[in-house]
Amino acid sequence: VATTELSRSKKFPQAKYYLAEMMYRQYNFAEAKQLYEQVAMTNNDFTKKALLCLQQAEQAQRLMQAIDRVEVVDSVIAHKTQFFEFYKLSNDAGRLFSVERPYELTTLPHMGYMTQRQDRMIFSDTINGQSDLFISNRLIDGWSAKTSIADNLNTEFEDNFPFLLSDGVTLYFASQGHNSIGGYDIFVTRFNVENNEYFAPENIGMPYNSPANDYLYAVDESKKIGYWATDRLQHPDSVIIYSFKIKESVEPLLDLSLEDQLAFAKMQKYFLYSPQADSVVVQDSVSQIPVERADSTDLSFLEHVEQSADLNFVVSAEIV
């Protein structure tokens, strides 16, 4: 109904912009792109916004062409100020920590990462009202003064949630810049030892990223388990954390129907590991839908998943 009214509206000059936003949130990126183009050609207060949104729509269209096959182990909904406590990383993976505890319960924490050897920290902090990434190294008499991690990683937007792989060069982080497709997106970069600079960060794609906020991609290589958090379709104070099996390389889902393409991109549909059953049903308030089961028979990594007795992990999905 809202879409129809916006499309018919002639009295509301910004109707096309808001209609484009609605189309975008529904993953109708092609139509959103056309509407943003029309708004961008007008000379009003929405022109600059429309140009930025147009870049996001173009990026989202590209990412839809190579949706990664995610094999989910579990998921849990947690409060956004403490969600990182549900990342059950082994000591070999290093340590996540909160740089500060926010006073407002709706505020995301500044996050930091310390290596397994406890000799280096990468963390987010606010300078001049803006979150950037910094690094500090352990010295004989304490920690070095924090320095900006790299000019090509920090943006004029928010940059946060770093995680460094055990190779010491592969860095994941979340940013609202770098042509994010909406809110925080997860990016990956690598340190170039030849010139002591980081390569240009790359968006890790869908379904990890979405028009909502997606952040804190972390990997436990010894358990072969990864984690990431997203607030898509969640209460404003909550995020959903997915744990998933780590693969050697990206496995894009090919030859999908439009319906399946949207379902996998939105995480309404995904491959699920479960040693207890041959088929799994995901429930929500609307209906029950079958979830694709991973075709691999290697379940050995599940033996290493730490299940805390006081936490109830549930597999969940949303239907829109």
Side-chain angles (χ1 to χ4, degrees):
V1 176
T3 304
T4 302
E5 292 302 316
L6 280 174
S7 62
R8 292 175 177 175
S9 175
K10 295 181 180 179
K11 297 180 180 180
F12 193 39
Q14 292 82 26
K16 280 187 179 180
Y17 177 83
Y18 291 114
L19 178 59
E21 279 197 328
M22 187 176 297
M23 293 292 100
Y24 190 80
R25 289 194 296 269
Q26 295 174 352
Y27 283 64
N28 192 341
F29 301 126
E31 188 166 345
K33 178 181 172 182
Q34 293 179 353
L35 290 167
Y36 284 134
E37 286 175 340
Q38 294 174 25
V39 177
M41 289 188 294
T42 63
N43 187 15
N44 58 39
D45 294 338
F46 284 77
T47 300
K48 186 176 180 179
K49 291 182 180 180
L51 287 171
L52 176 61
C53 293
L54 178 58
Q55 292 179 356
Q56 293 179 333
E58 292 172 342
Q59 171 78 326
Q61 269 191 308
R62 288 191 291 269
L63 296 181
M64 283 287 286
Q65 305 307 310
I67 301 167
D68 192 19
R69 173 191 173 116
V70 174
E71 299 174 356
V72 172
V73 177
D74 260 317
S75 64
V76 62
I77 295 175
H79 197 283
K80 68 193 303 182
T81 61
Q82 298 174 310
F83 73 97
F84 60 94
E85 296 175 3
F86 291 84
Y87 285 55
K88 301 301 179 182
L89 300 176
S90 63
N91 292 334
D92 292 341
R95 182 170 67 87
L96 298 169
F97 60 91
S98 173
V99 177
E100 64 181 9
R101 286 292 183 181
Y103 292 103
E104 297 182 12
L105 293 180
T106 57
T107 303
L108 285 167
H110 287 101
M111 291 299 304
Y113 170 79
M114 183 181 290
T115 61
Q116 184 270 339
R117 294 169 53 182
Q118 300 184 20
D119 60 352
R120 182 166 32 156
M121 291 190 298
I122 302 174
F123 55 93
S124 176
D125 201 359
T126 299
I127 300 295
N128 299 323
Q130 174 182 309
S131 294
D132 283 335
L133 296 177
F134 297 87
I135 189 168
S136 179
N137 296 302
R138 185 182 290 277
L139 306 176
I140 296 176
D141 57 349
W143 290 92
S144 66
K146 68 180 182 183
T147 57
S148 174
I149 189 169
D151 291 340
N152 67 329
L153 298 190
N154 287 322
T155 69
E156 60 182 306
F157 302 96
E158 300 293 288
D159 306 291
N160 199 345
F161 309 106
F163 183 85
L164 187 68
L165 287 189
S166 61
D167 62 11
V169 299
T170 305
L171 176 69
Y172 290 92
F173 68 101
S175 175
Q176 295 180 2
H178 297 294
N179 200 12
S180 155
I181 63 172
Y184 279 109
D185 271 11
I186 302 167
F187 295 86
V188 63
T189 183
R190 289 171 180 82
F191 188 72
N192 187 345
V193 295
E194 294 183 359
N195 59 11
N196 292 325
E197 295 180 355
Y198 281 93
F199 290 104
E202 298 179 2
N203 191 305
I204 69 169
M206 295 182 181
Y208 309 102
N209 291 321
S210 71
N213 290 296
D214 308 277
Y215 37 78
L216 196 52
Y217 184 102
V219 173
D220 192 319
E221 294 171 277
S222 64
K223 296 179 182 178
K224 299 181 181 177
I225 294 290
Y227 300 86
W228 99 92
T230 177
D231 66 6
R232 66 187 83 173
L233 300 175
Q234 298 300 312
H235 189 274
D237 67 359
S238 300
V239 298
I240 185 168
I241 304 152
Y242 289 103
S243 57
F244 58 97
K245 183 187 176 185
I246 292 299
K247 302 170 297 183
E248 295 296 327
S249 60
V250 174
E251 298 178 21
L253 295 167
L254 304 175
D255 301 322
L256 295 176
S257 66
L258 178 59
E259 181 181 2
D260 279 344
Q261 188 182 41
L262 291 172
F264 279 111
K266 294 179 179 181
M267 286 297 290
Q268 292 175 341
K269 192 174 183 180
Y270 46 80
F271 294 89
L272 177 69
Y273 265 105
S274 174
Q276 287 83 25
D278 292 331
S279 62
V280 179
V281 173
V282 175
Q283 300 183 35
D284 72 351
S285 60
V286 178
S287 62
Q288 294 184 345
I289 58 173
V291 178
E292 300 277 354
R293 178 177 171 81
D295 57 15
S296 173
T297 58
D298 178 17
L299 302 178
S300 59
F301 76 99
L302 285 171
E303 298 174 2
H304 304 289
V305 178
E306 296 178 349
Q307 295 283 354
S308 176
D310 59 345
L311 299 179
N312 295 316
F313 282 78
V314 295
V315 176
S316 62
E318 297 285 347
I319 305 297
V320 294

